Amino acid sequence: MQHLRHCHGFVRVSFLGTKRTQLLKDVAPAVTACAGPLSGHWQRRANSHGQSGRTHSVLSPRWRHLLAGLVAGSGAVLAYGLHNSQAERAAISIEPASQSSLPIYTQEEVSRHKSLDEGVWVTYRGSVYDITDFISVHPGGDKILLAAGGALEPFWALYAVHSQEHVLEILAEYKVGELNPEDLKKQQKVADSSDPYSTDPERHPALRVNSLKPFNAEPPPELLTDNYITPNALFFKRNHLPVPRVDPKTYKLEIEGLPRGPVSLTLNDLKTRFPKHTVTATLQCAGNRRSEMNTVKQVKGLNWGIAAISNATWSGARLRDVLYTAGYGPEVAAKARHVQFEGLDRDVTGTTYGASIPLGKAVSEVGDVLLAYEMNGEDLPLDHGYPVRVVVPGTVGARNVKWLGKIVVSEEESKSHWQQNDYKGFSPSTDWDTVDFKSAPAIQELPIQSAITQPAEGAMVDRSTEEVTVRGYAWSGGGREVVRVDVTVDGGKTWHIAQLQGSEKEQEPAASPPTGQAWAWKLFEVTVPLPAEAQELEIMCKAVDNSYNTQPDTVAPIWNLRGVLSNAWHRVKVKINEDSEE
């Protein structure tokens, strides 16, 4: 949050006319509902060189954080609230060069403005912008200086938020001229190759997209529980950065922090030097069911439904085996406390995705942490970390680092943004003005969870059937086994115990796993009589694990500003169709 402390410049957002105000209402109702007290002014002056000076009033810290939060996002999770259709709206609010009366600059002239002393100019779609005054309030910090004197497109392509209309309108206020047409043609020739997402893999069309760049999507709920093992194509996709293309022939996994010094392993080493271990484990995003928290009060993060969770069979080398072979022993155990993971996915600055888990989990004989190279009997798909990823059963998806490049045994947690300043839970009373990320532990094991996948919200149930069949999933973190799922259709007056499924339907029922090693979800199904006279039903479910943890009944008491750990009773409303043939 350091870079948000001086976001007073965002006052301009509130005074760019009715259209801007409406945009803000669309993006953040919670902010605009309180916009009345804001006051101030903004003036723009342009000198003969096209450079600009501005005067402005200062917002309170609370408003600086709230407005900056609209644009900031969390690291690469800047695609907040962005759906497929919205991502198509990039070509808006930027005046075509042919219609402008502003000066024309060559690329050479633009290139002279790449420092705060000389002014910071950039180009975007053929226009020239002096963003000098915006540097101090840029939510991404001084990373924007990487584009100084050149084109914004290669850098903005990393973060989908830049394609949203309100961001483009903010940029328009800094316009000082047009780019020479010949230089524009040169830029356009390399535009396609500059998109870091241009080599992302194809995805299944059934997936419901929450953001395109980086790509994040979930399967339709009605397909999610058709199979106990989620097909690779339908397994939810959670990317923070562009998908890297890693050559398996040259792949190297670096291991540091052990007495013998750094160790480097190839993909072939992992496959031939260590026993292959297979685990069926469910992965769940920390933000699964975040959309329900948004109905209480707007939160920051991707608007996940109930399907940011999936189940797969993973195969690879045990992390424990690899660490012991690399030199782990009592000497290391006496000092180290964490195992850090670093991915090969990186942003434009070279910053990679990273996370860490407790050392005890990493080296536990029953922790089942894998350096996985197979998913459901096949090589890992590109979206799921090819050629090697960490699979940490029972732990939040954010720690299951994909495209694994480095392991560090350390006394400290990962310094990654995603470990230190994201994926943490807070009180419902904590807001962006008071939040202290250092005060909360990083999420590791997730709480008990369940959700209804069928029937869908708003579905029609025929009265003539006299009953409704309810299906869904249930899972608990930390290896705790789900032992019961209760379903009600009468507001909780009566509860029906669902049948649990712990394997594919055609297989023999699975025996209970060893205590503490229940890594996979349970699917559930129950058929419930329709209440007489009812015209609408609210179906609710709640799960119980073998530690007798159960879900809270409502969302409001567990609401938090990042919308994580959403595990209240799941509720689905359906209507009863009274029409039937005699």
Side-chain angles (χ1 to χ4, degrees):
M1 300 301 289
Q2 292 281 342
H3 59 274
L4 297 180
R5 289 182 178 174
H6 304 289
C7 291
H8 50 272
F10 271 86
V11 67
R12 351 183 7 262
V13 176
S14 297
F15 305 102
L16 298 179
T18 304
K19 185 177 180 181
R20 178 68 51 80
T21 301
Q22 183 58 47
L23 283 169
L24 283 175
K25 287 180 179 178
D26 293 341
V27 176
V31 174
T32 55
C34 303
L38 295 177
S39 62
H41 64 277
W42 189 277
Q43 296 176 338
R44 175 175 179 150
R45 303 189 302 271
N47 61 26
S48 59
H49 299 290
Q51 294 176 324
S52 59
R54 298 173 177 83
T55 62
H56 54 272
S57 63
V58 179
L59 281 175
S60 69
R62 179 187 178 202
W63 285 101
R64 293 203 305 269
H65 286 298
L66 284 172
L67 290 174
L70 294 177
V71 183
S74 296
V77 194
L78 289 170
Y80 163 57
L82 188 66
H83 294 277
N84 196 352
S85 60
Q86 293 171 303
E88 304 293 334
R89 300 166 56 193
I92 53 178
S93 302
I94 301 297
E95 182 182 13
S98 60
Q99 299 178 13
S100 174
S101 59
L102 292 172
I104 295 177
Y105 297 99
T106 65
Q107 181 59 59
E108 182 180 0
E109 290 175 304
V110 174
S111 299
R112 295 173 190 157
H113 298 81
K114 55 175 59 178
S115 70
L116 293 175
D117 291 335
E118 297 294 330
V120 178
W121 288 16
V122 295
T123 65
Y124 184 69
R125 292 193 184 139
S127 296
V128 179
Y129 302 88
D130 175 5
I131 60 169
T132 310
D133 293 346
F134 186 67
I135 302 301
S136 65
V137 300
H138 179 234
D142 59 6
K143 288 182 181 181
I144 197 171
L145 290 174
L146 292 169
L152 279 176
E153 282 88 339
F155 303 93
W156 272 21
L158 280 169
Y159 304 124
V161 71
H162 296 116
S163 296
Q164 297 187 60
E165 186 174 357
H166 69 280
V167 176
L168 297 174
E169 288 197 346
I170 291 172
L171 177 66
E173 293 296 309
Y174 292 91
K175 186 172 178 177
V176 294
E178 305 294 347
L179 186 64
N180 178 283
E182 291 302 314
D183 289 322
L184 177 59
K185 288 180 182 178
K186 293 177 183 178
Q187 278 191 3
Q188 290 173 336
K189 286 182 180 180
V190 298
D192 290 341
S193 61
S194 67
D195 183 358
Y197 294 94
S198 61
T199 60
D200 269 19
E202 292 185 6
R203 282 91 178 197
H204 197 285
L207 293 172
R208 295 181 177 177
V209 179
N210 281 313
S211 74
L212 286 172
K213 299 178 181 182
F215 189 80
N216 291 281
E218 59 190 300
E222 60 270 24
L223 297 184
L224 179 62
T225 52
D226 275 355
N227 300 282
Y228 179 73
I229 299 295
T230 311
N232 290 356
L234 292 180
F235 201 102
F236 82 97
K237 310 291 189 286
R238 179 64 179 105
N239 296 332
H240 295 85
L241 298 163
V243 174
R245 295 282 179 154
V246 182
D247 185 348
K249 296 179 181 178
T250 59
Y251 171 79
K252 292 287 181 67
L253 174 62
E254 306 296 334
I255 303 175
E256 300 177 0
L258 297 173
R260 300 176 191 170
V263 174
S264 181
L265 297 173
T266 66
L267 178 59
N268 189 59
D269 289 334
L270 291 173
K271 290 183 175 181
T272 60
R273 292 178 55 188
F274 303 96
K276 182 178 180 180
H277 187 59
T278 298
V279 174
T280 299
T282 297
L283 299 187
Q284 179 181 214
C285 179
N288 190 33
R289 298 179 60 191
R290 179 179 283 129
S291 56
E292 293 163 58
M293 285 198 173
N294 276 323
T295 64
V296 175
K297 186 167 61 172
Q298 199 75 19
V299 300
K300 188 176 73 177
L302 296 171
N303 196 41
W304 293 107
I306 65 169
I309 183 173
S310 300
N311 191 46
T313 296
W314 312 91
S315 297
R318 283 188 178 95
L319 175 59
R320 167 188 166 85
D321 295 343
V322 172
L323 291 181
Y324 270 97
T325 299
Y328 175 82
E331 178 184 350
V332 179
K335 295 181 179 180
R337 293 291 179 270
H338 304 273
V339 176
Q340 302 174 7
F341 306 116
E342 187 177 296
L344 294 172
D345 48 334
R346 61 188 70 238
D347 67 12
V348 70
T349 70
T351 301
T352 58
Y353 184 84
S356 60
I357 61 173
L359 177 65
K361 172 68 174 178
V363 299
S364 169
E365 291 187 61
V366 295
D368 288 329
V369 180
L370 294 184
L371 303 182
Y373 44 78
E374 289 183 5
M375 178 180 180
N376 293 335
E378 303 175 355
D379 287 345
L380 288 173
L382 287 173
D383 265 323
H384 296 289
Y386 181 82
V388 177
R389 71 172 298 167
V390 184
V391 173
V392 190
T395 298
V396 64
R399 315 300 169 217
N400 291 251
V401 175
K402 299 186 283 187
W403 312 289
L404 184 65
K406 183 186 290 186
I407 298 172
V408 181
V409 180
S410 175
E411 297 178 33
E412 299 180 332
E413 274 191 325
S414 168
K415 298 298 185 183
S416 165
H417 163 85
W418 293 278
Q419 186 82 20
Q420 299 298 326
N421 296 311
D422 202 354
Y423 298 121
K424 295 183 176 184
F426 295 95
S427 163
S429 297
T430 299
D431 59 27
W432 287 105
D433 193 35
T434 61
V435 65
D436 176 10
F437 276 93
K438 291 183 173 59
S439 69
I443 299 170
Q444 294 287 344
E445 297 178 358
L446 286 170
I448 182 77
Q449 176 72 281
S450 71
I452 298 165
T453 57
Q454 296 178 60
E457 176 73 21
M460 297 291 294
V461 177
D462 288 336
R463 169 67 71 183
S464 59
T465 63
E466 299 182 350
E467 58 189 18
V468 57
T469 297
V470 182
R471 299 183 178 91
Y473 67 78
W475 180 76
S476 192
R480 293 176 290 273
E481 183 180 8
V482 171
V483 295
R484 196 178 78 236
V485 174
D486 301 324
V487 174
T488 183
V489 297
D490 60 6
K493 295 177 182 177
T494 55
W495 293 90
H496 303 265
I497 300 174
Q499 181 178 354
L500 301 180
Q501 176 191 338
S503 60
E504 294 290 3
K505 288 185 177 179
E506 63 273 13
Q507 297 177 350
E508 289 293 323
S512 289
T515 301
Q517 290 181 274
W519 310 127
W521 64 11
K522 298 284 184 72
L523 303 185
F524 70 83
E525 180 176 325
V526 62
T527 299
V528 181
L530 295 177
E533 311 299 329
Q535 296 181 326
E536 183 178 85
L537 298 181
E538 184 177 51
I539 307 172
M540 297 184 287
C541 71
K542 61 181 177 71
V544 180
D545 67 24
N546 62 356
S547 293
Y548 288 97
N549 298 306
T550 192
Q551 297 168 253
D553 58 347
T554 57
V555 176
I558 59 171
W559 184 95
N560 58 88
L561 76 178
R562 276 291 283 121
V564 294
L565 307 169
S566 181
N567 73 324
W569 296 357
H570 189 225
R571 302 162 187 259
V572 169
K573 290 184 178 180
V574 300
K575 295 182 179 180
I576 297 178
N577 181 14
E578 300 288 350
D579 295 334
S580 60
E581 296 182 4
E582 294 295 335

